[in-house]
Amino acid sequence: MSIARKGVHEAREELGGRLRAIRAAADIDGRTLAQRLGWPPSKVSKIQLGRQGPTVGDITAWTDACGAPEAAAELLVLLRDLDSRYAEWRRQLREGHAVVQRSWAETEAAANTIRAFEPCWIPGLLQTADYAAARFREHARLNGSPPDTDAAVAARLARQEVLYSPGRKRWHILLTEAALLYGLAPIPVMRAQIDRLVSASTLPAMRLGIVPLRARLPVSPVHGFWIFDGQQVIVEVVSAELRLGLPEEVAQYRKVFDLLAQSALYDAEARHLLTAAAESWL
């Protein structure tokens, strides 16, 4: 399993456990350590449980206070490893986009319930080949990654086979209306892509919601994210892919998803909006 796929929370927990062991070996309780460091006791607790990532200064101060300054060097290596869990796109994409698509396919295949929110583009599971090609060419230009567009499109389309496989998998996907209107591909491609969404909205295991532009939203649609079985969240930002798994992190994203879902249109209403969006691409 790659560093990126292990998850940020696992690295935090590992580092927190090592720091806790150093404190215990020094026969110092958490409250006493907090007093020595001038920290609130809650900070010691959060770091030990992996709910807060320590800084370089935190690690150095902790090991010094526990009489184990020699332990700092190894812990700082773990801290750098934690930072590397924020998988940089350029590192991931060195072998091309197809490799990343196969990694996503593994994650999707292992989940029974997938919830996704995308504010600016169509999610990969519902993309047409031409729309996907436009996205991969964009990423290659932005990241200087190998332009393996054909292989990447093939891998993305292979991911979509899971939508038609028998089983108990369920998808709940939310898009903003803006994602239908951004000019991220030529006009014929955008029209065909929206037609694809109309068809996808009728799949038995798919619940597709469209959040209208003028809807009064209970929460800001800050960025896109995917939730897998309520256990892991994947967030794609410009420079990195984050894989988060702390229960409170997942719960926060689920709360945002549920609030946005309340503002979405579904079924016939969603298809009416989709049709209108397709007709706007003249």
Side-chain angles (χ1 to χ4, degrees), residues 107-272:
T107 302
E108 290 160 349
N112 290 318
T113 302
I114 298 174
R115 297 174 178 87
F117 169 66
E118 291 291 1
C120 65
W121 56 65
I122 311 305
L125 275 178
L126 300 179
Q127 289 179 4
T128 64
D130 289 337
Y131 187 94
R135 299 281 62 71
F136 288 126
R137 286 193 291 267
E138 173 191 340
H139 287 309
R141 289 193 302 270
L142 181 63
N143 297 292
S145 49
D148 62 335
T149 301
D150 290 344
V153 170
R156 178 160 286 180
L157 296 182
R159 279 176 57 195
Q160 297 177 6
E161 294 176 5
V162 72
L163 295 171
Y164 308 97
S165 300
R168 301 177 59 184
K169 289 184 180 293
R170 294 292 181 269
W171 292 267
H172 186 174
I173 295 180
L174 297 177
L175 304 176
T176 65
E177 185 180 357
L180 311 175
L181 303 176
Y182 284 134
L184 300 181
I187 289 175
V189 175
M190 292 302 301
R191 290 180 64 93
Q193 176 60 74
I194 295 172
D195 287 344
R196 166 79 170 101
L197 294 176
V198 172
S199 299
S201 71
T202 65
L203 293 173
M206 173 68 65
R207 189 175 186 216
L208 178 63
I210 310 295
V211 180
L213 277 172
R214 298 186 182 278
R216 179 69 174 90
L217 300 182
V219 63
S220 300
V222 180
H223 56 71
F225 56 88
W226 290 66
I227 306 173
F228 297 89
D229 285 338
Q231 296 178 355
Q232 183 184 52
V233 177
I234 298 181
V235 181
E236 291 183 342
V237 296
V238 172
S239 61
E241 176 185 281
L242 314 180
R243 295 195 176 221
L244 311 174
L246 286 176
E248 56 266 37
E249 291 174 324
V250 177
Q252 185 79 344
Y253 276 96
R254 177 62 191 272
K255 181 178 181 180
V256 170
F257 183 89
D258 289 344
L259 287 170
L260 289 169
Q262 295 173 13
S263 301
L265 301 178
Y266 294 90
D267 302 320
E269 289 184 311
R271 287 188 283 275
H272 178 77

Side-chain angles (χ1 to χ4, degrees), residues 1-15 77-89 91-92 232-235 237 239-245:
M1 181 179 289
S2 69
I3 285 175
R5 294 182 61 209
K6 286 182 179 176
V8 173
H9 70 289
E10 293 184 22
R12 287 178 182 159
E13 290 174 346
E14 181 182 358
L15 182 53
V77 171
L78 288 178
L79 179 62
R80 287 193 294 271
D81 181 59
L82 189 156
D83 291 338
S84 75
R85 306 296 171 103
Y86 291 81
E88 298 175 3
W89 282 120
R91 188 184 71 233
Q92 286 196 71
Q232 183 184 52
V233 177
I234 298 181
V235 181
V237 296
S239 61
E241 176 185 281
L242 314 180
R243 295 195 176 221
L244 311 174

